[in-house]
Amino acid sequence: MTRIIADISVSLDGFVTGPGPGPESGLGAGGDALHTWAFSDDPDDRRLLREATARSGAVVLGRRLFDLVDGPGGWNDETGYGAGEVGKPAFVVVTSTPPAAVRLADLDWTFVTTGLADAIAAARTRAEAASAARGTDLDVVLMGGGATVGSAVAAGLVSTLSLHLAPVLLGSGTPLFPPHTPQRPLTQRSVLRTSTSTHLVYDVG
């Protein structure tokens, strides 16, 4: 079964970037601490990253995050989705206007201009096709940014919420959930504490 998983790193005070995120500093001041777990040598962190990315059939991201990863200082041969733990899933970008050109032309990009729900539907189609081709269940992963993930959870478009809780207080930045987010019942499925983070997985009602 294809799950729709919102997967994001967050500070203890609820921010997914530090203050002042922008083209030169996508995670803002101090925001790199949120992703320490993804590059650590802790065996549990490595296993979690490997298992999660291996199940990625398609990945959804917002336009601001796309501009960062496709920009001059973005992903390259050494860094990218899953920090080298996975191949190349399809990527679906929610945007009002597709870019004129793509730097990372070796990746499979789809640009959806009709909203987040349609982008997730397109990603589900790609993930299900990849599942059939590989003979195993693959997921749709919403990797960010914060507005994309928070809006998807608020709209009831997500079945699983995977949070990587970093031991840091950022004070300000991009909040994970917008103000007045509707109530959503959560069922806790797993908790994994590593040397760098606390990894939490919830089913979303």
Side-chain angles (χ1 to χ4, degrees):
M1 181 181 69
T2 297
R3 299 176 298 172
I4 310 299
I5 300 176
D7 187 295
I8 197 163
S9 299
V10 62
S11 68
L12 191 60
D13 50 349
F15 296 102
V16 297
T17 75
E24 301 302 319
S25 177
L27 291 172
D32 287 345
L34 296 172
H35 295 274
T36 299
W37 74 271
F39 301 97
S40 86
D41 293 325
D42 186 299
D44 286 327
D45 285 329
R46 300 310 304 170
R47 176 181 57 80
L48 183 71
L49 185 68
R50 182 172 59 252
E51 291 175 354
T53 53
R55 282 185 56 97
S56 299
V59 177
V60 177
L61 60 158
R63 178 58 187 268
R64 289 182 182 178
L65 182 55
F66 166 78
D67 286 342
L68 289 173
V69 303
D70 195 57
W75 289 351
N76 55 39
D77 290 340
E78 286 75 41
T79 63
Y81 180 74
E85 292 286 358
V86 74
K88 297 178 179 179
F91 292 90
V92 178
V93 181
V94 189
T95 181
S96 59
T97 307
V102 175
R103 178 179 65 87
L104 299 169
D106 59 323
L107 298 181
D108 181 355
W109 297 103
T110 298
F111 298 92
V112 175
T113 60
T114 52
L116 181 56
D118 287 346
I120 291 174
R124 181 191 286 276
T125 298
R126 300 300 299 275
E128 289 175 345
S131 296
R134 295 190 202 177
T136 187
D137 287 335
L138 299 174
D139 300 317
V140 172
V141 178
L142 278 70
M143 65 171 284
T148 299
V149 169
S151 296
V153 173
L157 299 172
V158 169
S159 58
T160 302
L161 177 61
S162 177
L163 299 179
H164 311 285
L165 185 63
V168 61
L169 296 171
L170 293 174
S172 63
T174 305
L176 174 55
F177 296 110
H180 313 298
T181 296
Q183 291 186 1
R184 294 283 174 197
L186 302 176
T187 301
Q188 185 170 282
R189 290 303 180 196
S190 67
V191 179
L192 174 65
R193 183 177 65 84
T194 70
S195 61
T196 64
S197 185
T198 302
H199 305 282
L200 305 160
V201 178
Y202 301 92
D203 288 342
V204 183

